[in-house]
Amino acid sequence: MPELPAACRLRGLTEADLPALMPLHAAVMADLRDPSLFRLAGGPEAFFSSHVGARGESWGVFLADELVAYASLTLPRADDRDNYARDLGWPPERAARVAQLSAAMVAPEHRRLGLHGKLIDIRIARAQALGLPDLLVRAAPANALSRQTLIEHGFALVWLGVQAEGSLRHIFWRPADRMATGADDAGVIWADGADLEAQRVWLAAGRRGVRAREADHAIGFALPPD
């Protein structure tokens, strides 16, 4: 597993940790300029409760005894309403074997420790250990920072639309055992991060979003390798 800062410790969460998650969630939501950027399926209480064993796994990062970051991995059934594979039109046999990076929160005062990226790496490693071949994650199109981070961790943008619960979202995919993005910029076509219609055009043409330009939030689309 990737190493965390020396002062932090990571452990799996249980039902006993649920009371600590609500104030962390409240702090994160209060710090967002747009609360629609972060939405937990079924609401925070139901989501947290179902991700300590019933539908997935969760990890907490603690500084002393304070929970300062959280991340979950959803292990959905093929026909679950919030299985992102349904948006992608995957057949049930593939949709039943996905892992979803479905939530991550870092307390605003602890966002300079690199915890968000570490929690992505930890969940990728866990999916590999479980033998699940596909990883999916969603993000709001307006959330340029999440998009940048996910692409840096090997996820490619593969879908844009309104999901079953009503949120407009990007969906990113990568194989569990390798990155979906590469280092070669040849053939990349750039689209403005706010131009959703252009993004839909390139996705419909079979391209994937494999670059994220920090300066202007543009997305670089490329054809998958042969």
Side-chain angles (χ1 to χ4, degrees):
M1 289 285 189
E3 293 185 2
L4 293 170
C8 296
R9 62 185 177 90
L10 172 82
R11 66 168 172 84
L13 299 182
T14 69
E15 290 185 3
D17 297 298
L18 295 178
L21 284 164
M22 293 307 296
L24 174 59
H25 178 263
V28 169
M29 296 303 292
D31 192 60
L32 290 177
R33 59 178 175 80
D34 179 359
S36 70
L37 297 180
F38 188 85
R39 181 178 296 176
L40 296 174
E45 291 187 19
F47 183 91
F48 296 146
S49 297
S50 67
H51 283 75
V52 289
R55 295 195 67 232
E57 302 177 358
S58 299
W59 296 267
V61 177
F62 292 82
L63 190 59
D65 291 327
E66 180 188 3
L67 179 66
V68 299
Y70 159 90
S72 65
L73 189 71
T74 301
L75 307 173
R77 296 171 301 186
D79 59 351
D80 281 350
R81 188 169 181 260
D82 61 344
N83 188 333
Y84 309 158
R86 296 182 62 178
D87 299 304
L88 304 180
W90 287 2
E93 58 271 19
R94 188 178 184 186
R97 302 189 66 230
V98 303
Q100 295 181 179
L101 281 66
S102 47
M105 301 180 295
V106 179
E109 64 271 26
H110 296 293
R111 287 185 181 155
R112 297 287 190 271
L113 300 177
L115 298 179
H116 185 70
K118 296 295 185 184
L119 288 168
I120 291 175
D121 291 335
I122 285 163
R123 287 176 289 170
I124 292 172
R126 181 57 180 154
Q128 292 171 346
L130 292 170
L132 299 172
D134 291 299
L135 290 167
L136 298 174
V137 59
R138 72 175 190 168
N143 194 338
L145 179 58
S146 285
R147 178 166 64 245
Q148 178 99 25
T149 303
L150 289 169
I151 288 176
E152 287 174 354
H153 282 77
F155 285 86
L157 170 60
V158 295
W159 188 85
L160 167 62
V162 177
Q163 294 188 293
E165 46 80 31
S167 295
L168 177 67
R169 291 292 185 263
H170 281 144
I171 292 177
F172 298 80
W173 161 85
R174 65 161 277 171
D177 62 351
R178 64 189 185 279
M179 300 178 73
T181 57
D184 186 3
D185 282 335
V188 169
I189 296 174
W190 292 92
D192 190 290
D195 191 343
L196 301 185
E197 186 53 40
Q199 295 171 34
R200 289 188 179 99
V201 167
W202 296 124
L203 290 169
R207 289 178 174 264
R208 299 171 181 165
V210 296
R211 298 285 179 276
R213 209 158 53 196
E214 186 175 359
D216 58 4
H217 306 318
I219 305 170
F221 289 85
L223 291 170
D226 293 335

